[in-house]
Amino acid sequence: MENSWATFGRDLHLDLTGPGGLRAALLRALRDAVRSGRLAPGTRLPSSRSLAADLGIARNTVADAYAELVAEGWLSARQGSGTRVAERVLPRATPPAARRSPGPGPGPGPGPGPRPADRADRPRFVLTAGTPDVSAFPRTAWLAAARRALTTAPSEAFGYNTPYGRPELRTVLADYLARARGVRADPDRIVICAGFIQGLALLSRVLGTGRLAVESYGLDFHRAVITRAGLRTVALPVDERGARTDELAALDDVRAALLTPAHQFPTGVPLHPDRRAAAINWARATGGFILEDDYDGEFRYDRKPVGALQGLDPDHVVYLGTVSKSLAPALRLAWMVLPERLVDPVLALKGTGEWQSGALDQLTLAEFLSSGAYDRHLRGMRLRYRRRRDQLVAALADHASQVRVSGIAAGLHAVLELPPGTEQATLRAARRQGLALDGLSRFHDPTAPPASRDALVVAYGTPPDHSFAGAVDALLRALPSGEQEPGEQEPGE
Amino acid sequence: MENSWATFGRDLHLDLTGPGGLRAALLRALRDAVRSGRLAPGTRLPSSRSLAADLGIARNTVADAYAELVAEGWLSARQGSGTRVAERVLPRATPPAARRSPGPGPGPGPGPGPRPADRADRPRFVLTAGTPDVSAFPRTAWLAAARRALTTAPSEAFGYNTPYGRPELRTVLADYLARARGVRADPDRIVICAGFIQGLALLSRVLGTGRLAVESYGLDFHRAVITRAGLRTVALPVDERGARTDELAALDDVRAALLTPAHQFPTGVPLHPDRRAAAINWARATGGFILEDDYDGEFRYDRKPVGALQGLDPDHVVYLGTVSKSLAPALRLAWMVLPERLVDPVLALKGTGEWQSGALDQLTLAEFLSSGAYDRHLRGMRLRYRRRRDQLVAALADHASQVRVSGIAAGLHAVLELPPGTEQATLRAARRQGLALDGLSRFHDPTAPPASRDALVVAYGTPPDHSFAGAVDALLRALPSGEQEPGEQEPGE
């Protein structure tokens, strides 16, 4: 019998004497077997008990290896059908986004690189920013909302929809955003889009020419979207009060400024009230726009929520929100709350048909919001992320007290300040520990004056729960030592 | 009690003596009450029995009026919650696409017109092409597929996905397209996109410069997408054998030709074998591409299926398919099967993040296909559409034998040839009958040599089942009379 339990173990050609022990050897062998095609997609694996018996090793070792390979996407474990080799399209597999470096930050992960690379060099732990813990997606609650949406949707919802987005969703969002984020939202000013990036692209094209100010720490692919639309970017410095919006007035030909007021990405500071006022004053004086990227505004832990900047002046601020951090990037659902004078131009551009989003997910999200499931999900995720943050902070205090942590009052990531000049070496050490991780310098706009801040951006929200402790351990091992090596006893102590 | 059954009838201020009888008066009054806001969205209406008693009219009259207003989208009837005023966002309602003229043809309906007009002038029957009968969307089967997709999806599916589209869907599509359409499809060459229009826009941008040949009868917004991408269009004449692909060789600087080989839109003829060969020969000789728009290839009735042109030369034909006609435009799901050399450029362009589709609908469609639900749905819809086509053809034979019908072997629309010079008058008569309908001239490329063909494009697939008979009746009344008035007896007979 092909791939029977008995032959399976032998076919793996396990070299149990290799480096790293039995578990590492098993992982290596299984990955190789999948990669080489010896284990075809869909192949059912023996139970951990059987394989352990067959190989003469502990069952836990096999079970752990399976779990890790499931988490990495090599295997899939479906209820009732055991563990199987994941279905993939070979040879050009689309790799699990959670395992390939999932592009950082508030926008979409995948850069333009079209074809996924081989998965051999995949990290064990991903702490790069941009993706929430997708293993926590509320599948059951989402399905219940989808059922209600599908049952009650009028027939016309299945036809061609307008570029506005479904009215059901815009109505519910207006209430939600007013309540949760202090947004002054009229459904007529809300336009649904397929992710923040699509919104930014539409707005950039509507603005057309001139310059768009961006924060000097931010995302390169945001800047790329802006320049592809024909605008130029100009960097606003970021300090401990957030973006230097007080410098906007001195800049020429700036049509708009893209800001992350609630939680500057990636430095993590909220925009100071003076800077908020300066931004609004600039927009009023010049007729410019603030593009408010509220990518993780729902996640706050220790302090009062920072209301949306848009509430101060809905006629000069475009509010951009998304479910990519709160639910899942895969939904490709986001929204813009627009000043009146931008509604028609944005709809006219979006109406060309290349930019439309599916209606069923919109209707499902409307149900998810109006039923209270969204609030419940956010409460649960807030607790979960806060716990992780506290774990991280405590572990750093215990084992790496030389590292200062900041930006942790909100969001899904922390900034770890490093001793000057150690960022690159620390990143190399992290890679050796199997960690995917970014340094702060990666987010620095190369057109801005040089910055000499060494830090790590640690997205504690990204990994699934079961691998978080391992990720923190690996991080601790990668950090530069202070006076003493973490985990080492001083002689005589 | 506000809006109680007793006050309800009085509040309508019915003028039952108005033109058109009780039913028309009731329709008018209810529409007015909704439009003016006197009946707020969500308001529950009295049962037809109660309102009839209250008004002293026949219950059937009320029930009919309710049914019509539900079909038109003013009211909604949900099982267990009675008839209510439809939820809409006022004053800028997004109107039901099935009632506003749903942009014609194989592509998306809504043109760039951003804000929906008032609904007062909505037609009673929509026979414009472009939308299938969305009231037949298989809600239960789709939900079952969504449940399986949500239950079995790996966590990474909820993260950022690649521009390729989900591998599960591409794998299943490759099998399906090979089996159902004779497409030579490798999952690696399939790229998922958010509708045909997005695919056409991506391809046009990848081609970049030069000319793209289009059929002289086709869709203006397809031509607009091409020109917005920076290409120019050039029209290929269409005759009884389809597009004059034999003329391609004489044209300069043509990079690609957009064709509808299975069922020319809108004239309805399949591309003749000689023309298919000419298209392929041209592409091979010049290195050009054929863009095969297979918008309704799944709907065939009397003749053998016409396999996809792509099967003849997968290296020179881009196959474009969509669920917009087979399931619902609202899903915004389509696919391209690309020649190898176009895969990387298309992915690189799509990968910029502005063009991504939601993953959950992709996974649901994959389940829908692999479970056989798609085949079952298509079989049911084929029967339904065929029955309608036969009804239409029979009604025309009985009452308008002067009108020749063509293009009916496949698809969701027929072409009704009119006496020379009568197209515009017939369209005006149709409007008076409450019909939304297009003449053939609307689809004629204005840059092509003038055509003098008078015809109607009648999309018998568009209306819901319950209003189809009424739509045909209205159409018969609008058609120009031949030797004798339809329904009138010749004296002495």
Side-chain angles (χ1 to χ4, degrees):
Chain A
M1 197 168 102
E2 242 184 271
N3 283 324
S4 78
W5 296 358
T7 63
F8 183 89
R10 285 199 299 278
D11 285 345
L12 290 176
H13 307 298
L14 283 181
D15 178 8
L16 301 179
T17 60
L22 284 172
R23 185 168 163 286
L26 188 56
L27 285 171
R28 236 182 356 254
L30 286 167
R31 283 196 201 100
D32 284 350
V34 174
R35 192 161 34 217
S36 68
R38 262 184 296 144
L39 285 178
T43 305
R44 183 170 180 157
L45 271 64
S47 71
S48 56
R49 181 201 300 267
S50 309
L51 183 58
D54 205 36
L55 298 174
I57 62 179
R59 183 180 176 185
N60 269 358
T61 306
V62 177
D64 282 353
Y66 277 15
E68 178 153 344
L69 293 171
V70 168
E72 292 177 0
W74 297 87
L75 306 180
S76 68
R78 297 182 182 184
Q79 223 169 8
S81 81
T83 304
R84 291 174 185 277
V85 178
E87 293 288 351
R88 285 162 308 122
V89 179
L90 295 169
R92 283 186 203 139
T94 300
R99 291 187 304 108
R100 65 214 236 314
S101 176
R115 300 206 192 178
D118 186 71
R119 49 183 62 199
D121 55 352
R122 291 285 145 59
R124 286 169 63 211
F125 303 108
V126 175
L127 291 176
T128 48
T131 305
D133 176 2
V134 289
S135 75
F137 184 80
R139 300 184 189 212
T140 308
W142 186 259
L143 184 64
R147 181 183 301 110
R148 288 192 303 275
L150 266 168
T151 309
T152 60
S155 287
E156 50 86 7
F158 297 96
Y160 286 102
N161 283 276
T162 73
Y164 242 141
R166 288 299 303 174
E168 295 90 339
L169 177 57
R170 293 185 291 112
T171 305
V172 174
L173 269 177
D175 290 344
Y176 170 77
L177 294 174
R179 170 168 63 77
R181 302 296 300 125
V183 171
R184 279 150 69 184
D186 177 327
D188 289 348
R189 291 193 180 189
I190 298 181
V191 173
I192 306 300
C193 48
F196 169 83
I197 283 288
Q198 191 189 75
L200 181 60
L202 286 163
L203 290 166
S204 299
R205 292 200 195 187
V206 163
L207 293 173
T209 55
R211 297 201 290 178
L212 202 154
V214 297
E215 296 168 328
S216 64
Y217 283 100
L219 288 160
D220 50 1
F221 56 88
H222 288 185
R223 297 190 292 268
V225 164
I226 294 163
T227 52
R228 263 200 307 276
L231 297 164
R232 287 163 295 132
T233 64
V234 52
L236 286 180
V238 171
D239 63 18
E240 69 289 348
R241 296 180 157 203
R244 292 291 304 269
T245 52
D246 51 324
E247 296 189 0
L248 275 169
L251 298 172
D252 289 332
D253 198 23
V254 173
R255 306 288 313 278
L258 174 62
L259 303 176
T260 48
H263 191 231
Q264 204 281 327
F265 186 86
T267 67
V269 294
L271 192 62
H272 189 276
D274 295 347
R275 300 280 171 80
R276 289 163 72 94
I280 298 290
N281 288 340
W282 167 81
R284 287 179 180 165
T286 62
F289 296 102
I290 305 295
L291 313 186
E292 178 174 24
D293 177 7
D294 197 37
Y295 65 105
D296 67 358
E298 273 109 347
F299 294 107
R300 286 159 268 107
Y301 308 114
D302 313 301
R303 57 172 164 79
K304 287 294 232 182
V306 179
L309 190 60
Q310 191 265 5
L312 297 180
D313 192 337
D315 289 326
H316 290 95
V317 180
V318 178
Y319 175 89
L320 294 128
T322 171
V323 299
S324 291
K325 306 298 171 279
S326 59
L327 273 169
L331 291 173
R332 307 315 305 134
L333 280 177
W335 45 84
M336 297 182 271
V337 185
L338 297 165
E340 174 63 32
R341 63 192 155 129
L342 288 182
V343 174
D344 279 338
V346 165
L347 288 176
L349 181 58
K350 189 158 182 279
T352 53
E354 299 139 71
W355 304 80
Q356 306 293 326
S357 307
L360 299 192
D361 280 340
Q362 296 182 47
L363 292 170
T364 301
L365 179 59
E367 285 284 343
F368 200 79
L369 279 157
S370 63
S371 68
Y374 192 69
D375 287 319
R376 278 193 295 280
H377 173 68
L378 284 179
R379 275 197 299 276
M381 294 309 290
R382 243 179 248 128
L383 284 175
R384 181 189 291 236
Y385 290 137
R386 184 187 177 141
R387 203 158 47 222
R388 290 189 191 182
R389 182 202 63 165
D390 293 347
Q391 260 179 276
L392 172 68
V393 170
L396 290 169
D398 287 351
H399 300 289
S401 56
Q402 74 284 7
V403 170
R404 197 172 67 81
V405 192
S406 66
I408 55 174
L412 307 177
H413 70 275
V415 175
L416 275 55
E417 307 286 345
L418 298 174
T422 61
E423 186 179 303
Q424 292 310 315
T426 307
L427 289 172
R428 282 192 297 272
R431 268 196 297 279
R432 285 193 299 271
Q433 295 293 336
L435 270 175
L437 190 67
D438 287 308
L440 185 62
S441 59
R442 185 196 183 299
F443 301 103
H444 191 258
D445 186 338
T447 70
S452 63
R453 203 174 150 189
D454 282 71
L456 298 179
V457 176
V458 175
Y460 52 83
T462 304
D465 258 1
H466 66 81
S467 79
F468 184 63
V472 171
D473 285 349
L475 177 64
L476 290 176
R477 285 193 294 273
L479 288 175
S481 53
E483 271 74 57
Q484 63 177 75
E485 289 293 310
E488 270 193 28
Q489 296 285 319
E490 281 280 323
E493 270 200 16
Chain B
M1 196 167 102
E2 243 185 86
N3 285 325
S4 77
W5 297 358
T7 63
F8 184 89
R10 287 198 298 278
D11 285 346
L12 289 176
H13 306 298
L14 282 183
D15 178 6
L16 301 179
T17 61
L22 285 171
R23 185 168 163 286
L26 188 58
L27 286 170
R28 236 183 353 256
L30 286 167
R31 283 197 201 100
D32 284 349
V34 173
R35 192 160 36 217
S36 68
R38 263 184 295 144
L39 284 177
T43 305
R44 182 169 180 158
L45 270 64
S47 71
S48 55
R49 181 200 301 266
S50 309
L51 184 59
D54 204 35
L55 298 174
I57 61 179
R59 184 182 175 184
N60 268 359
T61 307
V62 178
D64 282 353
Y66 276 16
E68 179 153 345
L69 293 171
V70 168
E72 293 177 358
W74 297 86
L75 306 180
S76 67
R78 298 180 183 184
Q79 224 170 7
S81 80
T83 304
R84 291 174 184 277
V85 177
E87 294 288 349
R88 285 162 309 120
V89 180
L90 296 168
R92 283 187 202 138
T94 299
R99 292 189 302 109
R100 67 213 236 315
S101 176
R115 301 205 191 179
D118 186 72
R119 50 183 60 200
D121 55 353
R122 291 285 144 59
R124 287 170 61 214
F125 303 109
V126 175
L127 291 175
T128 47
T131 304
D133 176 2
V134 289
S135 76
F137 184 80
R139 299 184 189 211
T140 308
W142 186 259
L143 184 65
R147 180 182 304 111
R148 287 192 302 275
L150 266 167
T151 309
T152 59
S155 287
E156 50 85 6
F158 297 96
Y160 285 102
N161 283 275
T162 72
Y164 242 142
R166 289 298 305 175
E168 296 89 339
L169 177 56
R170 293 186 290 112
T171 305
V172 174
L173 269 177
D175 290 343
Y176 171 76
L177 294 175
R179 171 167 61 80
R181 301 296 299 125
V183 170
R184 278 151 68 185
D186 177 327
D188 289 347
R189 291 194 180 190
I190 299 181
V191 173
I192 306 300
C193 49
F196 169 83
I197 282 288
Q198 192 189 76
L200 181 61
L202 286 164
L203 290 166
S204 299
R205 292 201 195 187
V206 163
L207 293 173
T209 55
R211 297 202 291 177
L212 203 153
V214 296
E215 296 168 327
S216 63
Y217 282 100
L219 288 160
D220 50 1
F221 56 88
H222 287 185
R223 297 190 291 267
V225 164
I226 294 163
T227 52
R228 264 201 307 277
L231 297 163
R232 288 162 294 132
T233 63
V234 53
L236 286 180
V238 171
D239 63 19
E240 70 288 349
R241 296 182 156 201
R244 293 290 305 266
T245 52
D246 51 325
E247 296 188 359
L248 275 168
L251 298 172
D252 289 333
D253 199 22
V254 173
R255 305 288 313 278
L258 174 62
L259 303 176
T260 48
H263 190 230
Q264 204 280 328
F265 186 86
T267 66
V269 295
L271 192 63
H272 188 277
D274 294 348
R275 299 279 171 81
R276 290 164 71 95
I280 298 290
N281 287 340
W282 167 81
R284 287 181 180 164
T286 63
F289 296 102
I290 305 295
L291 313 185
E292 178 174 25
D293 177 6
D294 196 38
Y295 65 105
D296 67 359
E298 273 109 347
F299 294 107
R300 288 159 267 108
Y301 308 115
D302 313 301
R303 57 172 164 79
K304 285 294 230 185
V306 179
L309 190 61
Q310 190 265 6
L312 297 180
D313 192 338
D315 289 326
H316 290 95
V317 181
V318 179
Y319 176 90
L320 294 128
T322 171
V323 299
S324 291
K325 305 300 170 278
S326 58
L327 273 168
L331 292 173
R332 308 313 306 132
L333 280 178
W335 44 86
M336 298 182 269
V337 184
L338 297 164
E340 172 63 32
R341 63 194 157 131
L342 287 181
V343 174
D344 280 339
V346 164
L347 288 176
L349 181 58
K350 190 159 182 279
T352 54
E354 300 141 59
W355 304 81
Q356 305 293 328
S357 307
L360 299 192
D361 280 341
Q362 296 182 47
L363 292 170
T364 301
L365 179 59
E367 285 285 343
F368 200 79
L369 279 157
S370 63
S371 68
Y374 192 68
D375 286 318
R376 279 192 295 279
H377 174 68
L378 284 179
R379 274 197 299 275
M381 294 309 291
R382 244 179 248 129
L383 284 177
R384 181 188 292 237
Y385 290 137
R386 183 185 179 144
R387 204 157 46 221
R388 290 189 191 184
R389 182 202 63 165
D390 293 347
Q391 261 178 274
L392 173 68
V393 170
L396 290 169
D398 288 350
H399 301 288
S401 55
Q402 75 283 7
V403 169
R404 196 173 67 80
V405 193
S406 66
I408 56 173
L412 307 176
H413 71 275
V415 175
L416 275 55
E417 307 286 345
L418 298 173
T422 63
E423 185 179 304
Q424 292 309 314
T426 307
L427 288 172
R428 281 192 298 274
R431 269 196 296 279
R432 284 194 299 273
Q433 294 293 337
L435 271 175
L437 191 67
D438 287 309
L440 185 62
S441 59
R442 185 195 182 299
F443 301 103
H444 191 258
D445 186 338
T447 70
S452 62
R453 200 172 154 191
D454 282 70
L456 298 179
V457 177
V458 175
Y460 52 83
T462 304
D465 257 0
H466 65 81
S467 79
F468 185 62
V472 171
D473 285 348
L475 176 64
L476 291 176
R477 287 193 295 273
L479 289 175
S481 53
E483 271 74 55
Q484 62 177 76
E485 288 293 309
E488 269 191 29
Q489 295 285 321
E490 281 281 323
E493 271 201 15

